[in-house]
Amino acid sequence: MALRLHGEPLAVGMVPEHVNLALTGGNAPIKGSITTSAGRTIVFPYSLAAEAGRDVRVEGPFRALEVHGPLDFALTGVLAALLVPLADAGISVFTLSTFDTDWILVPADAAEQAAEVLTAAGHTVEDTEESK
């Protein structure tokens, strides 16, 4: 698989039902929210984490690995092929899927190691920080 490692640090937050929050700005390669009965999970630029407020649990910073897409819905094993090597290396992940592709958020301080692990597993990783 071909992946792109994005440079802007991201945060993941858990927003309680009673909090109305929209964190916008930055140049995040992916941002958005998904709601369950437990609350709303948001992905947003880490530079805005201080604005989230004390009721929002925030984790990060993360960097995003984007699988080169679009991916056909009939494909199987895409995430498994990427997550198993990362798990074997002890790198935690937060995954997201969009209509066109999959995204893997890794702790920012483990991003370069994640790229090395994925490359060793036969994938290609383009670091957008190096290509600028």
Side-chain angles (χ1 to χ4, degrees):
M1 307 249 156
L3 299 103
R4 190 172 324 153
L5 178 60
H6 292 275
E8 182 169 357
L10 299 172
V12 175
M14 176 56 130
V15 182
E17 283 187 29
H18 69 277
V19 175
N20 184 10
L21 178 68
L23 295 171
T24 59
N27 296 315
I30 184 170
K31 51 189 164 189
S33 69
I34 189 162
T35 304
T36 68
S37 60
R40 185 165 50 107
T41 298
I42 60 174
V43 176
F44 60 98
Y46 188 74
S47 61
L48 302 175
E51 299 175 30
R54 64 180 174 184
D55 289 339
V56 178
R57 288 186 2 230
V58 176
E59 295 287 335
F62 297 96
R63 284 184 61 195
L65 285 156
E66 174 189 6
V67 179
H68 181 19
L71 299 177
D72 189 302
F73 270 76
L75 288 175
T76 60
V78 172
L79 284 175
L82 300 168
L83 299 182
V84 168
L86 294 173
D88 289 347
I91 299 172
S92 64
V93 300
F94 182 86
T95 62
L96 302 151
S97 293
T98 63
F99 190 87
D100 287 334
T101 195
D102 294 316
W103 295 77
I104 302 168
L105 305 187
V106 297
D109 62 359
E112 296 305 322
Q113 179 190 5
E116 291 170 7
V117 164
L118 291 168
T119 300
H123 306 289
T124 59
V125 179
E126 172 196 359
D127 189 335
T128 61
E129 288 293 285
E130 292 177 4
S131 62
K132 288 183 181 177

